[in-house]
Amino acid sequence: MANEKLNELKDLGEFGLIDYLTQNIKIHHSSTVKGVGDDAAVINHENRQTVVSTDMLVEGVHFDMVYTPLKHLGYKAVAVNLSDIYAMNAQPRQITVSLAISSKYSTEAISDIYEGMIHAANHYGVDIVGGDTTSSLQGLVISITAIGEAKEEELVYRNGAKENDLLVVSGDLGGAYMGLTTLQREKEVWKVNPNMQPQLEGHDYILERQLKPEARKDVITFLSQLGVKPSSMIDISDGLASEIHHICKHSDVGCSLYEEKIPIDPMTHKVAREFNIDPTICALNGGEDYELLFTVSQTDYDKIKGNPHWTVIGHMTTKESGINLISSGGSVIPLTAQGWDGLNKDK
Amino acid sequence: MANEKLNELKDLGEFGLIDYLTQNIKIHHSSTVKGVGDDAAVINHENRQTVVSTDMLVEGVHFDMVYTPLKHLGYKAVAVNLSDIYAMNAQPRQITVSLAISSKYSTEAISDIYEGMIHAANHYGVDIVGGDTTSSLQGLVISITAIGEAKEEELVYRNGAKENDLLVVSGDLGGAYMGLTTLQREKEVWKVNPNMQPQLEGHDYILERQLKPEARKDVITFLSQLGVKPSSMIDISDGLASEIHHICKHSDVGCSLYEEKIPIDPMTHKVAREFNIDPTICALNGGEDYELLFTVSQTDYDKIKGNPHWTVIGHMTTKESGINLISSGGSVIPLTAQGWDGLNKDK
């Protein structure tokens, strides 16, 4: 590779870099009155409620540059933020993007990250309206804030689940964690023998779940088309178990989760067994699936049943009944929230 | 100091830490429908325009823990973001706060930063509505997004300056840079002899300019009371020269800046001379003053003249006339934009 092709960030300067990175940003919404280029962006929400969420991704904690393609990283950073907005049953409209970059990154590398972000912004139809680009002493930090909107009556919080409501999850679970586990194994192999080719064939689905997850915009649309408004909703970033605990805590209810109902993709199942990990544990505690977990009234069951996009996995109970996993063997096991914890992952 | 008193972040966990940090957050605005505690915050803007700005502060780049009190750091992180909202002639209402923290920080340290942030939020009357707290491999990164609002007709952009408009700056300039220079000198002395007491007496004003700057909310209020709407406005984060270039570029005009008019505090002047630095260079290129730079029509001169909160320092010209400094000796010198550049500061 021709190293001389790689521009150093310092040659471009902060303003030059921002101009370079933002030149391909398209504006999708008339509500975006002013995007990148002033002290702040301006948004006109026309009587709708504004919804705001923010997430930070840190190199070495949330991603490992050894096996993370830069465009995918940019895409994922945006998708995981939008997931929080969809989890409010709202539509994301704008994002701001802040990057702290160490000197080991070339302009081309940052440009790739930005390309992934712009790709995600176009895919989900959101406007990149601002940001900050600065240096870091070590590694890369990405901080994204997503701004969405919804009518007041559309918003779904974590605190609306009622006793007897059905617990529903979109897609399948545990795949992102098994993708990560596979990538980490190949990294260890590579560290011992850098000439070894990675054994990633046949792992496409779980690798994509880890490296390029999608936010479930489609699920919000389907629910709206069916006329179903969830009573509570959250996105699965830390793992099913942890998110169920959040809903129960905020809604002051208990939950019965049925192990045999938890949707797990065959590839996730197979790879988990290869690693000698219980697939259910992957689904409960793996995290980073970015599926939507929601509760609906039993009266909505006819509308949601048999839909391939989601699975009923349990029901809400009284708070006193506790939060329990009903195992495939019929045992009732208190469900602990061992969600993926960003603060402890690097221990 | 009793080390056993310092809780480790990992003992608290992410959710525990967030609960702990957010327990003292007060909500100031009825527009804050939902703050911390769900996937996203919800804001009701009632037909006003939403204004959004984001900034990232990185340890070792934007601040040095050797001489930065943690509460001041939290306060400053909020103030510099709000400064961008005021620079749009808008009122900040909400902020989100993301922190990446290395394991060298105790819970008490993070709590101090948060205390400073909450103090600033209360001082400026903004609601902390969300955030993200994660670990970092090295150092501390603070990312804040500020959300404000304004009526459409109140907003002031960078691109409205007209030929003959007066160029006005609030407060005084160069102090934050001389504060930084003083702190860096004491750090070098301390590295040679850790028992040496820092020589900071008599430097209070410039140290406060560096460590605990204020956003000029008062200037926005004064202008409003006088019935003056600037034709363009920007806040001074990178230095007067750089910000003048931004206004001229966006407004397609030139500028004549008068050196003798640039407001410099006597302490800034004195310390600059001690360091053998031209005080004008401090004001032009120092940065981090967080004063407001704005242009007003000449017809507003009677309303703004003689006001102790700001100084007329020049006027806008045709683009063809260029961007010039008229020196105290009367020379016309093209003004280069050597603003403080976050990307290059650590070279």
Side-chain angles (χ1 to χ4, degrees):
Chain A
M1 288 297 291
N3 265 328
E4 65 271 28
K5 280 191 188 170
L6 302 178
N7 291 315
E8 292 296 321
L9 288 177
K10 61 177 183 288
D11 297 337
L12 216 51
E14 184 183 351
F15 302 126
L17 178 66
I18 291 171
D19 286 346
Y20 175 72
L21 294 175
T22 57
Q23 63 187 342
N24 294 321
I25 292 173
K26 277 178 275 183
I27 297 296
H28 303 81
H29 301 291
S30 60
S31 65
T32 304
V33 179
K34 176 83 190 180
V36 174
D38 215 299
D39 293 282
V42 177
I43 301 163
N44 183 3
H45 276 290
E46 288 160 12
N47 251 348
R48 288 176 150 242
Q49 310 246 339
T50 304
V51 182
V52 183
S53 178
T54 192
D55 263 317
M56 200 177 237
L57 296 181
V58 180
E59 180 177 346
V61 178
H62 300 94
F63 56 89
D64 186 326
M65 293 313 301
V66 169
Y67 50 67
T68 308
L70 291 166
K71 286 179 194 173
H72 286 193
L73 177 61
Y75 192 95
K76 178 174 177 173
V78 172
V80 304
N81 262 272
L82 302 186
S83 181
D84 279 323
I85 303 292
Y86 293 123
M88 303 293 289
N89 202 33
Q91 292 294 334
R93 294 289 186 238
Q94 288 91 8
I95 58 172
T96 63
V97 171
S98 291
L99 300 176
I101 313 154
S102 73
S103 55
K104 76 177 179 189
Y105 289 93
S106 65
T107 304
E108 282 76 3
I110 302 308
S111 188
D112 278 352
I113 295 170
Y114 236 80
E115 199 178 307
M117 289 181 173
I118 291 174
H119 181 53
N122 291 338
H123 178 74
Y124 291 102
V126 300
D127 295 336
I128 300 176
V129 295
D132 194 16
T133 305
T134 185
S135 57
S136 76
L137 293 189
Q138 190 192 45
L140 173 67
V141 180
I142 304 173
S143 178
I144 294 186
T145 299
I147 299 162
E149 57 178 39
K151 291 180 193 155
E152 188 175 353
E153 63 273 20
E154 292 168 344
L155 285 167
V156 175
Y157 296 93
R158 295 179 179 176
N159 63 5
K162 300 278 183 299
E163 195 187 336
N164 297 322
D165 279 358
L166 300 171
L167 183 70
V168 188
V169 70
S170 66
D172 57 78
L173 301 176
Y177 179 70
M178 288 323 302
L180 178 64
T181 306
T182 302
L183 289 165
Q184 285 172 334
R185 177 184 65 187
E186 295 309 313
K187 179 183 174 182
E188 292 307 312
V189 170
W190 175 83
K191 275 156 73 176
V192 174
N193 181 357
N195 295 318
M196 197 79 116
Q197 287 299 306
Q199 299 288 316
L200 297 173
E201 304 83 50
H203 292 67
D204 303 24
Y205 178 68
I206 57 174
L207 294 176
E208 186 159 325
R209 293 290 284 173
Q210 170 57 225
L211 296 174
K212 192 171 170 287
E214 298 288 354
R216 297 307 304 262
K217 178 182 187 172
D218 57 333
V219 169
I220 299 304
T221 307
F222 290 140
L223 286 169
S224 169
Q225 287 169 351
L226 293 169
V228 174
K229 182 186 169 188
S231 51
S232 69
M233 186 152 57
I234 191 170
D235 76 321
I236 299 185
S237 50
D238 295 327
L240 178 62
S242 174
E243 315 305 353
I244 289 176
H245 271 265
H246 281 305
I247 285 185
C248 289
K249 179 186 163 192
H250 283 81
S251 297
D252 217 27
V253 293
C255 181
S256 288
L257 169 69
Y258 292 86
E259 181 182 11
E260 63 183 13
K261 302 285 189 189
I262 299 172
I264 299 174
D265 184 82
M267 189 189 292
T268 305
H269 202 281
K270 177 170 171 285
V271 176
R273 287 300 182 202
E274 283 171 18
F275 279 98
N276 209 19
I277 303 174
D278 182 342
T280 299
I281 298 296
C282 295
L284 288 175
N285 300 337
E288 290 203 275
D289 288 313
Y290 299 104
E291 295 294 342
L292 291 171
L293 177 72
F294 53 97
T295 55
V296 298
S297 164
Q298 294 229 8
T299 57
D300 283 327
Y301 179 66
D302 282 346
K303 293 181 186 167
I304 64 157
K305 72 178 177 188
N307 190 309
H309 300 291
W310 50 64
T311 311
V312 179
I313 56 174
H315 60 85
M316 310 320 279
T317 62
T318 60
K319 184 181 181 184
E320 292 66 36
S321 305
I323 303 172
N324 297 301
L325 177 74
I326 318 300
S327 78
S328 300
S331 314
V332 177
I333 307 157
L335 187 68
T336 53
Q338 300 183 345
W340 181 92
D341 191 326
L343 279 173
N344 295 321
K345 207 188 175 196
D346 60 336
K347 275 197 296 188
Chain B
M1 287 300 291
N3 266 327
E4 66 268 28
K5 279 191 185 170
L6 302 177
N7 291 314
E8 291 295 323
L9 289 176
K10 61 176 184 287
D11 296 336
L12 215 52
E14 183 182 351
F15 302 127
L17 178 65
I18 291 171
D19 286 346
Y20 175 71
L21 294 175
T22 58
Q23 64 188 343
N24 294 322
I25 292 174
K26 277 179 275 182
I27 297 296
H28 304 80
H29 300 291
S30 60
S31 65
T32 304
V33 179
K34 176 83 190 179
V36 174
D38 214 297
D39 293 284
V42 177
I43 300 164
N44 184 4
H45 275 290
E46 289 160 12
N47 251 349
R48 289 178 149 239
Q49 310 245 339
T50 304
V51 181
V52 183
S53 179
T54 192
D55 264 316
M56 199 176 238
L57 296 182
V58 179
E59 180 178 346
V61 178
H62 300 93
F63 55 91
D64 186 326
M65 294 314 299
V66 168
Y67 49 67
T68 309
L70 292 165
K71 287 179 193 172
H72 286 191
L73 177 61
Y75 192 94
K76 178 174 178 174
V78 172
V80 304
N81 263 274
L82 302 186
S83 181
D84 279 323
I85 303 293
Y86 293 122
M88 304 293 288
N89 203 31
Q91 292 294 334
R93 293 289 186 239
Q94 288 90 8
I95 57 172
T96 64
V97 172
S98 290
L99 299 177
I101 312 155
S102 73
S103 55
K104 76 175 178 187
Y105 288 94
S106 65
T107 304
E108 281 76 4
I110 302 308
S111 188
D112 277 352
I113 295 170
Y114 236 80
E115 198 178 305
M117 289 181 171
I118 291 173
H119 181 53
N122 291 339
H123 177 74
Y124 290 102
V126 300
D127 295 336
I128 299 176
V129 295
D132 194 16
T133 306
T134 184
S135 57
S136 76
L137 292 188
Q138 192 193 43
L140 171 68
V141 180
I142 305 174
S143 179
I144 295 187
T145 299
I147 298 162
E149 58 180 35
K151 292 182 192 154
E152 188 176 353
E153 63 273 18
E154 292 168 343
L155 284 166
V156 175
Y157 296 94
R158 295 178 179 178
N159 64 4
K162 300 280 182 302
E163 194 186 337
N164 298 322
D165 279 358
L166 300 171
L167 182 68
V168 188
V169 69
S170 66
D172 57 79
L173 301 176
Y177 179 68
M178 288 323 303
L180 179 63
T181 306
T182 302
L183 289 164
Q184 285 172 335
R185 177 185 66 187
E186 294 309 312
K187 180 182 173 183
E188 292 308 312
V189 170
W190 175 82
K191 276 156 74 175
V192 174
N193 181 357
N195 294 320
M196 198 79 114
Q197 287 299 306
Q199 298 288 315
L200 298 173
E201 304 85 48
H203 291 67
D204 303 26
Y205 177 69
I206 58 174
L207 294 176
E208 186 160 326
R209 294 289 285 171
Q210 170 58 225
L211 296 174
K212 190 168 171 286
E214 298 287 353
R216 298 305 304 262
K217 178 182 186 176
D218 57 334
V219 169
I220 299 305
T221 307
F222 291 138
L223 286 169
S224 170
Q225 287 169 350
L226 293 170
V228 174
K229 183 187 170 189
S231 52
S232 71
M233 187 155 53
I234 191 169
D235 75 321
I236 299 185
S237 51
D238 294 328
L240 178 63
S242 175
E243 316 305 353
I244 289 177
H245 271 266
H246 282 306
I247 285 186
C248 288
K249 179 186 164 192
H250 283 81
S251 298
D252 218 27
V253 292
C255 181
S256 289
L257 168 69
Y258 293 85
E259 182 182 10
E260 62 183 13
K261 301 288 189 188
I262 300 172
I264 299 175
D265 185 82
M267 190 189 291
T268 304
H269 202 281
K270 176 170 173 284
V271 177
R273 288 299 182 199
E274 283 171 19
F275 279 98
N276 208 19
I277 303 173
D278 182 342
T280 299
I281 298 296
C282 295
L284 288 175
N285 300 336
E288 293 204 272
D289 288 314
Y290 299 106
E291 295 295 340
L292 291 171
L293 177 72
F294 52 98
T295 56
V296 298
S297 165
Q298 294 228 6
T299 58
D300 283 328
Y301 178 66
D302 281 345
K303 292 182 187 165
I304 64 157
K305 70 178 179 187
N307 192 309
H309 300 292
W310 50 63
T311 311
V312 179
I313 57 174
H315 60 86
M316 310 319 278
T317 62
T318 61
K319 186 181 179 185
E320 292 65 35
S321 305
I323 303 172
N324 297 301
L325 176 73
I326 318 299
S327 78
S328 300
S331 314
V332 178
I333 307 158
L335 188 68
T336 54
Q338 298 183 349
W340 182 93
D341 190 327
L343 278 171
N344 295 323
K345 208 186 172 199
D346 62 337
K347 277 195 296 187

